[in-house]
Amino acid sequence: MKRIKKGINDLVYSVKQYFKKVKKDHLIKKYFQDNVLFLVFIFTVVLNATVLRFFCMHTIENYLSFKAILADTTVAVIIGSFGYLCKPKNRFYYYLVFDIILSAICMINSAYYTFYTSFASVSMLSLTQYIGDVGDAVVENVIQLKDLFYVIGPLILIGAYLKIHKKSRLKQIEIKSERKKKMTSTLAVGLIMAFCYCITLSSLDVTRFVKQWNKEYIVMRFGIYVYQANDLVTSIQPKINSMFGYDKAKKEFDDYYKDRPDVPQTNEYTNIFEGKNVIVIHGESMMTNAIGLKFNDIEVTPTLNKLSREGMYFSNFYSQVSVGTSSDTELTYNTSLMPTKSGTAFVSYSDRNYISTPKFFNEKGYYTFSMHANKADFWNRRAMHNSLGYQRFYAKADYKVEKENVIGLGLNDREFFKQSVKKISKINSKNESWYGLLIMLTNHTPFSEVDKYGDFEVNIKETINKEDGTQEEVIHPYMEGTKLGNYFKSLHYADVALGEFINELEEAGLMDNTVFILYGDHDARLPKADYNRLYNYDTTTDDIKDDSDPTYKEYDSYQYELGRKVPFIIWTDNMAGTNLNMEIKDVMGMIDVQPTLGNMFGFYNKYSLGHDIFNVRGNNTVVFPNGNWVTDKVYYNSQKGASLSLNNEAVSEDYIKERNDYTNKLLAVSNNTIVFDLFNEEKNKTE
Ligand code: GP9
Ligand code: MN
């Protein structure tokens, strides 16, 4: 103990002595005088980045974001440290070159933001056809006076150089070891700063950084320079991935499809909807387990219940997403391909050729469009919806977004649908047939803006008859205050908005010749413990039942995995009571949607990886990107190498092996198709 005390005292003494020396010898002043260029370089780099956030993101917590400023400073210190390797007379040119590069990054992003309300991506450079369309507009309309501000960085640096040069404060000679020492000590400071920065990061920061789907968030937390470096790596990675292994991939691809017929197999649903208009709803985080669920006799999802009751309801349906969540579902829904092994197809492979559902409708003379009231660059949709063949993508800029109508990520679903009906009416008056996808937004994690969802309650109200003949209402909290409970409130909001949308479409006569299709895009990623509470709540204790209770319902990790089902519904307003009004209980995945719809609307993709569900009834395998799979009989978890029988029959090793082989092959072919652009006929001819 004494030794520790002595050690601390010694340390405090040495620090004090050090600061005394610093003061006495005017070391700080001296440091400033000797390192003017380095310090000015840091100042200008951080200034430009802060001003960029100021111009783009307006709120003070954005442009004065501590994390972003620390990240920008760290980048500047690390880059600046290498300047010390140059001889003093050349050092200025080193700083100037980097100052110009970093200022250019700010300038380009500033101009890009004005036009697209998002930050620039290196990968956009490959979308030459797209840039061609907007190139002139950029020069004429977009480069504004404010974008020239960033020139100030290099100008200040030049000014500082001239001043110290005049006063001959620039040390002319510095031996090599002295330069190296300066570099290493400055670099060490930079690395310590980087370490301090990293420990301030939350797990949300890290996942968003990896996914690159919300560029504003990344710039706000990581600063513009780290964002751009990350973007550069993400943009180059697909190029590197596609450099090796083309021949093997092409051969596997050819083998996989060599026995595929050129014409589709027909069944009783062939062409039943040919020529009809289509509305597709991308139901954000809509899950099957909420269908039919009630609290105090009020339905959580009255609209989904109605659609599933009256339409064709696929109740054993799974989305097949990886880290690209919404965007992965959009990929699989539109192309019958699986998400890529690394990165996301939307962000990294938007320049590939896709055989997509909108393209088939385009060929049939339909006007195809997509609508989403969030920023167009979220998930890189602006580029990717173009690649998928949508003729027009209506995004945030096409909607009137008033502050009071914002929930979570953007315009609330009620308002989104209201404004979309008007757009669809216009489209309908100008086009004989049309196909449109509407991507919902409000029911998005974290489901925390509870006061904006309305007054749907997730408690249990009980009326108790008292001995004196009077009645008392007792309220049990049940799901109130839980994440799952908040999810139900949010979902109820979204569902009611959807119901209003259908009513408005009907009133506008837009449902008369229209097929309405809805899919849940992925599960809502809710805690398992909350499901335990949902299924095992005891009103006598207001707590979860004990697992020894005979009515206790086990909700283990398998139940959780299997409970991640999302709804898939095909509905028209005159389907109820017809032979199309049915529940399909066969296991089905998002990958099966394109071939199933293709058969109904009269198109065929020879290269779809899924199946028309009506051709494989009772014999379908749904593959997940992580190698898990599910059939009507078995759920298989590839990480654990364990399976669960769904029909109480023993599971044979052959059964597992056969499906594991199928899974691995399908995932490999899908990934290679995207990475090596194997649907690109031109490219494949020359290679
Ligand atoms: C973003 C929205 C949400 O615009 O579609 O994406 P998600 O977080 O669900 O992938
Ligand atoms: Mn989503």
Side-chain angles (χ1 to χ4, degrees):
M1 195 64 189
K2 258 186 183 171
R3 277 170 94 185
I4 298 176
K5 224 171 170 183
K6 188 178 175 304
I8 294 174
N9 283 342
D10 287 352
L11 185 73
V12 172
Y13 179 76
S14 334
V15 172
K16 269 187 187 164
Q17 286 306 102
Y18 175 75
F19 280 109
K20 264 187 196 160
K21 190 176 158 35
V22 166
K23 210 171 159 193
K24 193 169 145 249
D25 299 350
H26 303 289
L27 286 184
I28 295 182
K29 200 172 161 199
K30 208 164 165 299
Y31 178 82
F32 271 85
Q33 276 172 356
D34 287 353
N35 299 281
V36 174
L37 289 181
F38 170 72
L39 293 169
V40 171
F41 170 73
I42 292 176
F43 171 73
T44 55
V45 167
V46 177
L47 174 75
N48 272 352
T50 309
V51 169
L52 174 74
R53 287 197 303 280
F54 173 73
F55 281 146
C56 300
M57 299 198 276
H58 310 304
T59 62
I60 191 154
E61 68 264 30
N62 283 343
Y63 58 82
L64 288 185
S65 152
F66 168 73
K67 284 189 186 178
I69 292 176
L70 180 58
D72 294 335
T73 315
T74 306
V75 169
V77 170
I78 291 175
I79 295 178
S81 68
F82 291 101
Y84 286 116
L85 289 180
C86 306
K87 286 181 183 154
K89 61 176 182 191
N90 297 334
R91 205 167 286 159
F92 163 68
Y93 299 104
Y94 173 88
Y95 290 130
L96 186 64
V97 167
F98 276 98
D99 216 319
I100 290 173
I101 295 173
L102 298 178
S103 300
I105 289 178
C106 291
M107 195 182 283
I108 291 167
N109 276 285
S110 180
Y112 189 87
Y113 197 92
T114 317
F115 201 59
Y116 294 120
T117 49
S118 182
F119 294 99
S121 169
V122 179
S123 62
M124 296 298 278
L125 294 174
S126 57
L127 303 171
T128 38
Q129 149 217 351
Y130 172 68
I131 282 175
D133 289 347
V134 296
D136 294 345
V138 169
V139 177
E140 279 170 29
N141 307 324
V142 172
I143 294 190
Q144 299 175 352
L145 212 57
K146 70 174 175 50
D147 304 324
L148 301 177
F149 172 88
Y150 307 95
V151 179
I152 204 156
L155 288 182
I156 293 177
L157 191 71
I158 294 170
Y161 172 72
L162 292 177
K163 201 160 174 204
I164 54 174
H165 200 64
K166 230 193 228 160
K167 289 190 178 174
S168 16
R169 282 233 190 99
L170 214 56
K171 195 175 167 189
Q172 291 304 327
I173 304 161
E174 229 172 42
I175 53 167
K176 209 172 174 187
S177 63
E178 201 181 335
R179 296 204 306 263
K180 223 171 159 186
K181 203 171 142 202
K182 271 189 168 179
M183 187 284 275
T184 27
S185 53
T186 315
L187 182 62
V189 171
L191 294 177
I192 291 169
M193 286 172 72
F195 175 76
C196 294
Y197 174 74
C198 288
I199 52 180
T200 68
L201 294 175
S202 65
S203 59
L204 183 72
D205 293 339
V206 177
T207 37
R208 292 212 167 162
F209 182 72
V210 174
K211 285 187 180 188
Q212 280 266 19
W213 67 294
N214 186 342
K215 295 177 180 177
E216 284 197 329
Y217 186 92
I218 299 176
V219 172
M220 198 171 84
R221 304 290 157 114
F222 294 83
I224 189 68
Y225 308 117
V226 176
Y227 158 75
Q228 206 73 79
N230 183 26
D231 170 72
L232 183 70
V233 173
T234 322
S235 307
I236 290 174
Q237 205 184 358
K239 305 262 176 305
I240 297 170
N241 289 351
S242 59
M243 268 157 77
F244 311 100
Y246 174 84
D247 293 339
K248 190 168 167 264
K250 179 80 171 82
K251 192 181 171 310
E252 268 176 20
F253 175 91
D254 290 339
D255 287 350
Y256 195 85
Y257 291 108
K258 70 173 185 299
D259 297 327
R260 279 277 169 104
D262 287 325
V263 285
Q265 186 182 334
T266 55
N267 57 40
E268 57 183 306
Y269 304 101
T270 305
N271 298 338
I272 53 171
F273 295 133
E274 211 175 5
K276 290 210 183 283
N277 298 326
V278 189
I279 286 187
V280 183
I281 300 292
H282 170 118
E284 177 59 48
S285 304
M286 285 185 160
M287 293 177 71
T288 306
N289 56 22
I291 293 188
L293 191 69
K294 289 179 186 173
F295 287 86
N296 302 310
D297 245 8
I298 304 174
E299 298 170 296
V300 178
T301 55
T303 312
L304 291 184
N305 296 353
K306 175 186 147 76
L307 297 178
S308 57
R309 218 173 29 239
E310 297 180 357
M312 233 182 208
Y313 171 41
F314 302 82
S315 59
N316 197 2
F317 183 87
Y318 291 91
S319 72
Q320 295 160 290
V321 301
S322 179
V323 293
T325 45
S326 274
S327 73
D328 281 345
T329 264
E330 286 169 53
L331 171 86
T332 307
Y333 167 83
N334 279 294
T335 63
S336 192
L337 288 168
M338 291 293 285
T340 46
K341 270 188 205 154
S342 65
T344 64
F346 264 51
V347 174
S348 300
Y349 301 101
S350 62
D351 59 346
R352 303 305 198 246
N353 228 23
Y354 292 100
I355 303 178
S356 68
T357 299
K359 287 184 186 168
F360 284 112
F361 279 103
N362 288 342
E363 277 168 23
K364 286 176 173 290
Y366 279 58
Y367 176 71
T368 57
F369 59 93
S370 54
M371 295 174 163
H372 183 45
N374 199 0
K375 299 219 165 97
D377 278 326
F378 262 69
W379 282 130
N380 200 25
R381 284 189 178 102
R382 185 200 309 279
M384 190 61 175
H385 278 213
N386 187 43
S387 299
L388 289 174
Y390 291 100
Q391 290 173 36
R392 169 86 154 89
F393 175 32
Y394 298 83
K396 188 177 175 184
D398 297 289
Y399 288 83
K400 205 166 154 212
V401 184
E402 273 161 7
K403 222 175 168 191
E404 68 266 25
N405 290 328
V406 169
I407 302 180
L409 286 173
L411 186 63
N412 69 45
D413 285 345
R414 182 169 280 155
E415 199 46 39
F416 164 61
F417 282 138
K418 272 208 169 76
Q419 296 184 32
S420 298
V421 171
K422 293 197 182 109
K423 296 184 200 305
I424 300 171
S425 274
K426 268 196 197 141
I427 290 169
N428 184 54
S429 62
K430 285 191 196 148
N431 298 278
E432 191 101 326
S433 10
W434 43 267
Y435 169 97
L437 165 74
L438 282 87
I439 302 171
M440 295 174 77
L441 188 59
T442 304
N443 187 38
H444 191 276
T445 195
F447 318 110
S448 53
E449 295 181 35
V450 186
D451 50 327
K452 296 188 182 164
Y453 303 145
D455 49 15
F456 186 72
E457 291 175 326
V458 289
N459 52 24
I460 296 176
K461 287 183 183 148
E462 210 178 4
T463 311
I464 297 190
N465 294 320
K466 288 170 59 177
E467 276 174 15
D468 62 3
T470 58
Q471 289 189 322
E472 191 193 350
E473 190 180 57
V474 178
I475 300 177
H476 302 281
Y478 195 19
M479 300 311 291
E480 288 292 343
T482 65
K483 194 164 179 193
L484 180 58
N486 290 350
Y487 166 72
F488 289 138
K489 291 179 185 217
S490 157
L491 179 62
H492 182 76
Y493 167 89
D495 180 277
V496 171
L498 184 70
E500 287 173 7
F501 173 57
I502 295 173
N503 289 344
E504 284 176 36
L505 288 173
E506 281 173 340
E507 276 163 27
L510 292 166
M511 276 309 296
D512 297 349
N513 188 36
T514 301
V515 179
F516 194 88
I517 297 168
L518 178 140
Y519 62 77
D521 68 339
H522 47 72
D523 77 303
R525 291 156 280 179
L526 297 159
K528 192 159 130 271
D530 284 6
Y531 286 106
N532 206 8
R533 187 176 176 88
L534 178 72
Y535 297 124
N536 291 304
Y537 186 73
D538 186 347
T539 48
T540 55
T541 60
D542 280 336
D543 208 344
I544 302 170
K545 288 175 201 160
D546 197 77
D547 56 7
S548 60
D549 189 312
T551 56
Y552 182 83
K553 213 173 131 188
E554 178 80 32
Y555 202 79
D556 62 14
S557 55
Y558 278 119
Q559 309 296 327
Y560 185 80
E561 288 299 309
L562 292 164
R564 296 172 74 186
K565 292 185 184 69
V566 296
F568 178 54
I569 303 170
I570 302 174
W571 178 87
T572 62
D573 58 4
N574 56 5
M575 207 183 251
T578 67
N579 59 348
L580 296 179
N581 176 197
M582 57 181 165
E583 180 179 343
I584 294 97
K585 295 183 180 160
D586 303 65
V587 71
M588 180 176 179
M590 196 62 79
I591 204 168
D592 301 315
V593 171
Q594 192 196 48
T596 304
L597 292 182
N599 180 51
M600 293 172 169
F601 284 92
F603 64 84
Y604 174 59
N605 174 9
K606 185 182 163 181
Y607 298 97
S608 70
L609 284 171
H611 302 98
D612 177 349
I613 190 67
F614 296 108
N615 290 340
V616 287
R617 297 201 72 166
N619 190 27
N620 198 20
T621 304
V622 174
V623 164
F624 296 100
N626 59 4
N628 293 1
W629 49 260
V630 62
T631 65
D632 288 324
K633 293 181 185 139
V634 176
Y635 176 77
Y636 180 77
N637 183 310
S638 72
Q639 285 83 53
K640 292 185 192 148
S643 61
L644 174 78
S645 168
L646 303 177
N647 59 358
N648 292 326
E649 281 174 23
V651 187
S652 76
E653 271 182 29
D654 283 352
Y655 188 89
I656 303 270
K657 190 183 174 310
E658 208 178 291
R659 271 140 198 99
N660 273 345
D661 290 348
Y662 169 79
T663 300
N664 294 337
K665 191 120 236 151
L666 184 141
L667 289 175
V669 169
S670 177
N671 190 62
N672 287 340
T673 303
I674 298 172
V675 170
F676 294 103
D677 204 5
L678 297 178
F679 289 151
N680 188 333
E681 282 170 18
E682 279 310 303
K683 213 167 164 185
N684 288 310
K685 247 187 253 163
T686 52
E687 264 164 324

